[in-house]
Amino acid sequence: MSGDNLLNVAGIAKEGSDTIFSWFARYQNAKKEGKDAVNGTVGALLEDDGSLAVNKVVDAAIRESPPIEFSAYAPLAGLPDFLDLCKTLAFGDARNTLEDLGFNFSSTASPGGSGALFLAANNFLERGQTALLRDRYWGPYKGFLQNNGQDYVTWPLIPKNKDSSHPHFAREEFESQLEMLCSKQNKVMVWLNDPAHNPTGLSMTPNGRSVCLNSFVNSAIKNEDVGHTLLIDSAYSLYADEPHAWADTILEEIENGLMWPENLLICVAVSLSKSHTIYGLRTGGLVCLHPDKEVTDRLNTVMSVTGRQTWSATPRVGQYSISKMHSTPEGGDAWGVERDRLKELLDTRRKSLIEECNNRGVSLNPTMDGFFAWIESDDSVKIAERCAEHDVYLVPLSGGVRIGLCALAANDMPKVAEALKIAMG
Ligand SMILES: Cc1ncc(COP(=O)(O)O)c(C=O)c1O
């Protein structure tokens, strides 16, 4: 192929993955042709009129920033106030209690949650090792891992063996994959996008989280020579009913006597793209929790050096303006009012889609929070094609079709459910 003599092996292996954009383009073409088409393709939150939803309080905070905050570099690790804010965004009210209990946090700014995921892949597993993901996952995970010479295996999103005490956590499969990896590697890393999973909207239950955490900790205790990193990807969690669900579970388990072995680390990949509607300002961070301050100090150094060697510093203006906005209770509350308005858009759309699907006997995956809903299918392209015949544009992915509640309007849902019924029928 052209360029093969210029590209290295890793470069040659990279192929375009434009499924989402190509289905969006098909929606746009249908609109141009005058069809009454609906758009469930885009992965950003749109108002009911199809325009990008912007948190107005965040927008005002950015615009009030002095010119120097737009122009200057940020410190390599990130602005101190922002690093502090990241800990609170990641752990909510549990943060202070965890600190009082003697736990420590590292915090490093990154260009969005994507940057945080890259930092984790780059520094926790060795090249040649394998990460553990759920079997429905955000597509770019694969690339972040591959770019660090890593592979992945999965465990099911929903248990086959339905156990009513944790219906959204496949414990047996998780434990057996973890055991398999521990028998082969000196480090294991799990990436878990919860609550408000992309691409399904699933949120685990509190009991499911606690069972998952205990399985992971027990594995760390049993395999003391294997480093154990659990990374919670919180990209959509500030729109979930329990935004700090993992922090609450972690704190509760610690208060109930959970043992924290030295070889256990819990990280949160923070993204402000959705929560603060600043997708393009590339603002996020990686926050890690460990009882030993020497460990978190070391992580602060390692992560900021990695950032320096990869993208230099993270953009400054988002860090400055958002930490200033959250520094007063009024600023934080005003952001919260706007966030609630945007969450309401998602809640209304989700409720309506579930109702319309139920009325027609269409069986959606469990979907509770965040930007998406999902329908399982071994032939997702066929389903998406059939929906498109009825002017409903969705995204066929591996294992199912992603329904962008974030992009659809509430009153599109009868049409979406009807198209799904025909397509699945
Ligand atoms: C599951 C998930 N994690 C992380 C991200 C990171 O987004 P960003 O890099 O824009 O913060 C996204 C964005 O779509 C996502 O869907």
Side-chain angles (χ1 to χ4, degrees):
M1 251 164 90
S2 359
D4 271 6
N5 55 345
L6 299 170
L7 290 162
N8 64 20
V9 172
I12 288 172
K14 287 174 188 159
E15 288 170 5
S17 59
D18 50 357
T19 313
I20 296 174
F21 292 103
S22 69
W23 281 85
F24 177 54
R26 286 181 60 174
Y27 158 75
Q28 286 178 311
N29 288 340
K31 273 303 242 197
K32 259 188 229 142
E33 285 165 17
K35 301 229 169 88
D36 183 21
V38 301
N39 175 21
T41 64
V42 172
L45 180 55
L46 307 184
E47 302 280 0
D48 276 346
D49 68 3
S51 63
L52 185 70
V54 175
N55 185 313
K56 295 182 188 62
V57 178
V58 172
D59 185 59
I62 294 165
R63 285 171 205 283
E64 277 163 18
S65 303
I68 194 164
E69 301 295 342
F70 287 86
S71 296
Y73 284 123
L76 294 174
L79 284 173
D81 286 348
F82 179 71
L83 299 179
D84 189 74
L85 173 68
C86 278
K87 298 176 190 173
T88 304
L89 292 177
F91 283 85
D93 291 340
R95 173 200 168 168
N96 290 338
T97 320
L98 286 165
E99 282 174 335
D100 292 345
L101 289 169
F103 281 84
N104 294 284
F105 295 100
S106 72
S107 181
T108 312
S110 60
S114 301
L117 291 159
F118 180 88
L119 289 176
N122 196 245
N123 290 294
F124 294 129
L125 288 188
E126 303 291 352
R127 288 188 166 263
Q129 292 188 335
T130 298
L132 180 54
L133 313 176
R134 286 192 293 186
D135 70 359
R136 300 287 171 259
Y137 58 86
W138 185 45
Y141 281 2
K142 192 175 164 184
F144 300 141
L145 293 165
Q146 271 173 354
N147 270 337
N148 287 286
Q150 292 154 14
D151 203 352
Y152 66 94
V153 289
T154 61
W155 87 96
L157 184 75
I158 312 262
K160 278 194 202 80
N161 170 10
K162 294 248 177 318
D163 177 337
S164 60
S165 83
H166 48 86
H168 307 135
F169 173 57
R171 175 189 189 159
E172 284 151 39
E173 295 89 338
F174 177 70
E175 289 180 351
S176 71
Q177 290 290 54
L178 202 52
E179 210 176 305
M180 181 274 290
L181 291 173
C182 286
S183 72
K184 295 187 181 164
Q185 304 185 169
N186 67 351
K187 314 244 172 7
V188 292
M189 179 167 71
V190 174
W191 284 2
L192 186 54
N193 177 208
D194 180 76
H197 176 237
N198 175 8
T200 68
L202 183 84
S203 290
M204 291 166 71
T205 60
N207 188 51
R209 290 187 192 100
S210 134
V211 171
C212 176
L213 179 62
N214 278 291
S215 294
F216 198 67
V217 173
N218 288 339
S219 169
I221 292 171
K222 204 167 120 197
N223 299 282
E224 56 182 354
D225 298 329
V226 180
H228 276 62
T229 300
L230 172 63
L231 180 139
I232 304 300
D233 176 354
S234 68
Y236 301 87
S237 66
L238 294 181
Y239 293 110
D241 281 345
E242 302 173 285
H244 298 107
W246 271 95
D248 297 341
T249 298
I250 293 164
L251 178 59
E252 206 177 295
E253 292 299 319
I254 289 172
E255 286 177 332
N256 288 337
L258 181 91
M259 289 268 296
W260 191 296
E262 216 189 332
N263 59 331
L264 170 71
L265 184 72
I266 298 188
C267 307
V268 179
V270 175
S271 166
L272 272 61
S273 298
K274 286 97 189 164
S275 59
H276 291 71
T277 67
I278 51 167
Y279 308 85
L281 282 183
R282 310 309 304 135
T283 315
L286 181 69
V287 177
C288 307
L289 174 72
H290 195 275
D292 185 349
K293 186 165 181 307
E294 286 182 16
V295 171
T296 50
D297 284 351
R298 176 103 189 262
L299 291 177
N300 277 330
T301 306
V302 168
M303 297 305 164
S304 81
V305 169
T306 307
R308 176 71 181 116
Q309 294 168 343
T310 313
W311 49 72
S312 182
T314 294
R316 180 177 181 112
V317 71
Q319 297 184 54
Y320 169 82
S321 50
I322 308 278
S323 43
K324 185 153 185 272
M325 179 189 84
H326 281 292
S327 70
T328 62
E330 303 77 51
D333 290 351
W335 164 80
V337 170
E338 270 289 278
R339 188 273 318 268
D340 291 349
R341 181 181 76 79
L342 301 180
K343 179 177 177 341
E344 183 67 30
L345 286 178
L346 292 164
D347 289 349
T348 311
R349 294 172 191 178
R350 175 172 276 104
K351 191 164 166 267
S352 166
L353 180 69
I354 292 173
E355 251 170 48
E356 298 295 339
C357 283
N358 281 346
N359 291 345
R360 292 169 176 80
V362 174
S363 132
L364 287 176
N365 255 51
T367 182
M368 300 84 169
D369 293 301
F371 280 23
F372 305 107
W374 175 263
I375 193 153
E376 287 278 325
S377 167
D378 292 335
D379 196 349
S380 59
V381 173
K382 186 179 90 190
I383 302 301
E385 288 289 356
R386 283 197 187 156
C387 287
E389 284 164 19
H390 298 276
D391 298 327
V392 170
Y393 288 85
L394 306 173
V395 183
L397 295 172
S398 159
V401 178
R402 188 182 87 173
I403 304 162
L405 297 173
C406 52
L408 291 158
N411 58 16
D412 291 337
M413 298 313 169
K415 186 170 172 133
V416 175
E418 194 58 34
L420 284 171
K421 183 183 169 197
I422 300 164
M424 300 294 289

